């Protein structure tokens, strides 16, 4: 295990240990895994780059414990809270209305007092629900940090080219993961804006900014929350396959196994 293992994420190390154990596995699963391992052994450039990224992940993220990641993912998966559709429409409509009134006021079409009334109401709503909305927004900070850790790995897999069925399936999952990471970046920017007290008052006076932040967070969890664990398991599989490919990459001569559904045995020929 120590000789082969290049896995740096907690799930990757656990996955490799499971593959090297004596647990029963189907013939089809073993053949597909062997195909993926052989392809990674041939694609040395990608495999070495992938290992390098995983090493950077481990160095920068201080090897977060598996229990912490499990708890975080469980929390995301169990969060079924939904923002009512009418509240979404109301928040966006009112925010657009405030901006429209501001533009009309600046053009001297209507009195500036109308804008002041709408902005004061918006700011009062933001302050009224400040504590509740802040709690929801605060829960996303570990999630944002967590996805940011894995995003370079998502992108490295997405930008590569594979032929084996297993690796192609992993790459397809990474396409959604990259999209989710980009959307989370936008939410991160919004959260950072509201964290500044001056921008908090300005943004909530010009729109129902805190409410829009909460809506964006809940929509992200509804859309991608159930898929996060699958993304991490895909990366874990890829780390395990890259580990199993080390022998073929390091040794000048190596052989690939053929599997049969019989009593377990080894039969090697020179």
């Amino acid at each position: 295990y120590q000789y082969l293992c290049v896995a740096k994420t907690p799930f990757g190390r656990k996955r490799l240990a499971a593959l090297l154990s004596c647990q029963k596995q189907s013939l089809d699963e073993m053949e597909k895994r062997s195909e993926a391992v052989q392809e990674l052994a041939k694609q040395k450039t990608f495999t070495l780059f992938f290992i390098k990224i995983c090493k950077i992940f481990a160095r920068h993220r201080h090897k977060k414990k598996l229990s912490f990641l499990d708890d975080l993912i469980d929390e995301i998966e169990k969060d079924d809270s939904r923002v009512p559709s009418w509240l979404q429409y109301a928040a966006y409509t009112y925010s657009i209305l405030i901006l429209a009134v501001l533009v009309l006021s600046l053009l001297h079409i209507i009195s500036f007092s109308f804008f002041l009334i709408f902005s004061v109401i918006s700011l009062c709503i933001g302050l009224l629900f400040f504590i509740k909305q802040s709690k929801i927004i605060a829960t996303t900070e570990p999630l944002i940090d967590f996805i940011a850790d894995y995003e370079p790995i998502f992108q490295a897999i997405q930008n590569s080219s594979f032929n084996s069925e297993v690796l192609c399936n992993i790459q397809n999952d990474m396409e959604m993961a990259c999209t989710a990471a980009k959307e989370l970046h936008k939410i991160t920017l919004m959260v950072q804006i509201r964290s500044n007290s001056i921008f908090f008052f300005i943004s909530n006076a010009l729109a129902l900014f805190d409410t829009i932040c909460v809506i964006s967070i809940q929509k992200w969890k509804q859309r991608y929350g159930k898929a996060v664990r699958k993304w991490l398991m895909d990366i874990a599989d890829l780390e395990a396959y890259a580990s199993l490919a080390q022998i073929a990459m390091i040794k000048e001569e190596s052989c690939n196994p053929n599997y049969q559904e019989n009593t377990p045995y080894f039969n090697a020929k020179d």
Side-chain angles (χ1 to χ4, degrees), residues 125-242:
I125 293 173
L127 293 172
L128 183 64
F129 296 99
F130 175 76
I131 296 177
K132 182 178 180 180
Q133 292 176 336
S134 293
K135 288 181 179 179
I136 297 174
I137 294 172
T139 59
T140 63
E141 292 179 1
L143 172 62
I144 291 171
D145 187 45
F146 168 66
I147 295 297
D149 292 346
Y150 278 89
E151 186 179 7
I153 304 177
F154 295 158
Q155 291 177 345
I157 300 171
Q158 174 62 22
N159 295 332
S160 301
S161 178
F162 301 111
N163 295 314
S164 67
E165 181 182 345
V166 173
L167 297 182
C168 287
N169 290 338
I170 292 175
Q171 188 176 41
N172 291 336
D173 290 339
M174 291 303 104
E175 184 176 356
M176 178 189 284
C178 288
T179 302
K182 290 178 182 177
E183 291 185 16
L184 199 60
H185 276 309
K186 297 177 183 178
I187 298 174
T188 304
L189 181 60
M190 295 170 66
V191 172
Q192 289 174 344
I193 289 174
R194 77 171 298 278
S195 63
N196 184 295
S197 57
I198 297 175
F199 283 111
F200 169 81
F201 284 99
I202 295 174
S203 59
N204 279 280
L206 293 175
L208 294 173
F209 194 76
D210 271 21
T211 305
I212 293 173
C213 282
V214 171
I215 291 171
S216 300
I217 291 167
Q218 295 304 114
K219 287 176 70 175
W220 191 95
K221 288 182 179 180
Q222 291 168 20
R223 190 175 302 166
Y224 302 111
K226 303 293 184 184
V228 172
R229 188 181 295 275
K230 181 67 168 64
W231 302 337
L232 301 193
M233 292 302 102
D234 285 339
I235 293 175
D237 284 340
L238 194 56
E239 284 187 294
Y241 301 154

Side-chain angles (χ1 to χ4, degrees), residues 37-54:
V37 170
Q38 292 175 43
E39 182 171 356
L40 289 176
K42 293 176 182 177
Q43 291 201 30
K44 291 185 178 180
T45 303
F46 165 78
T47 305
L48 292 174
F49 180 66
F50 175 72
I51 294 171
K52 180 181 177 181
I53 291 179
C54 291

Side-chain angles (χ1 to χ4, degrees), residues 99-110:
L99 295 175
V101 170
L102 174 60
V103 172
L104 294 175
S105 300
L106 294 174
L107 295 174
H108 303 291
I109 297 175
I110 61 175

